[in-house]
Amino acid sequence: MNKEQASKKAEIIAHFDYDNTNDEIDGAMKTFQQRFSSKKGKLAVIAYGLLAIAALVGIIMSPTTVVLYLALALCAGGLFFSLTEKKRTRKKIIEALSDMNPETYRCTIFHKKIEIETIIRPKVNELEPKVDEEQTETEAEEEKITPLKSVFKFGEDLLNFSENDDSLLLIFNRRQIYCFPKRCLTEEQQGVVRDFLTKKLEEE
């Protein structure tokens, strides 16, 4: 190991490989939606709720006015649509991800930056005959899949850290989520990542 490699290793806070299940992705998006919920969505729920109440009061006062029943039905539909929008959004994203090639990831956290490598693997066709594992691994090595690397720098990129029961979450620019499942990290790694990111991002 040369001096450059030794220096780089000394800078590493945490290093781990991981993948994501659909449930973990759904949970990550739910946590994100709770933390960065849209004001527009909240206002829509409040507006439809108030209009529905107004229509209901109108019906009580004038039960023969047909247009009030129509208004109540429209408000109820709008309220239901607004309340379920987040769930429908998550469902669409999960369905889209299910059709994509599987991905595995490698995260390395340094003092000044975070590197995440994404390795996109070919889909496994269940209808095709099974291939010997050793041969498959050899072929994968021969293909030399080049990982896609994302780099986030502390103090330059807008980063947030959050957590739920299943995962540690790195949020970029309040739009993109990187989900680190706790099942892929040891208890010690979880503590190191949690403490470092919490402290580091509070300083920004």
Side-chain angles (χ1 to χ4, degrees), residues 65-193:
T65 306
V66 178
V67 69
L68 292 175
Y69 291 93
L70 178 60
L72 180 61
L74 291 173
C75 290
L79 186 60
F80 175 80
F81 184 87
S82 298
L83 289 172
T84 59
E85 183 179 8
K86 292 179 180 178
K87 185 176 181 180
R88 287 183 286 104
T89 299
R90 296 199 307 270
K91 184 178 179 181
K92 287 180 181 179
I93 293 175
I94 294 296
E95 288 176 350
L97 291 174
S98 298
D99 292 334
M100 297 171 62
N101 287 11
E103 297 179 348
T104 56
Y105 309 89
R106 174 166 295 162
C107 177
T108 307
I109 301 176
F110 299 89
H111 282 282
K112 296 182 179 180
K113 64 180 180 179
I114 298 175
E115 293 182 356
I116 299 178
E117 294 180 319
T118 302
I119 302 171
I120 303 174
R121 303 190 180 280
K123 284 186 177 180
V124 177
N125 190 341
E126 295 180 356
L127 299 178
E128 292 181 356
K130 291 185 177 181
V131 183
D132 182 74
E133 288 187 8
E134 292 184 1
Q135 182 181 356
T136 304
E137 291 176 359
T138 302
E139 290 175 352
E141 289 178 0
E142 290 176 352
E143 288 178 2
K144 295 182 179 178
I145 301 173
T146 302
L148 305 175
K149 182 181 289 187
S150 299
V151 179
F152 306 100
K153 295 182 179 179
F154 297 116
E156 295 183 21
D157 295 312
L158 179 59
L159 301 174
N160 294 93
F161 172 72
S162 190
E163 181 177 0
N164 58 28
D165 292 339
D166 299 319
S167 307
L168 305 175
L169 307 173
L170 178 69
I171 302 169
F172 171 61
N173 207 25
R174 298 190 176 184
R175 289 185 296 181
Q176 191 171 357
I177 314 169
Y178 290 88
C179 174
F180 307 146
K182 294 179 181 178
R183 62 180 171 80
C184 297
L185 288 80
T186 65
E187 290 288 342
E188 182 181 359
Q189 286 176 319
Q190 291 177 37
V192 169
V193 172

Side-chain angles (χ1 to χ4, degrees), residues 47-59:
Y48 281 120
L50 291 175
L51 289 173
I53 293 172
L56 187 59
V57 171
I59 290 172

Side-chain angles (χ1 to χ4, degrees), residues 39-55:
K39 290 183 179 180
K40 183 180 178 181
K42 289 181 179 179
L43 290 175
V45 170
I46 293 171
Y48 281 120
L50 291 175
L51 289 173
I53 293 172

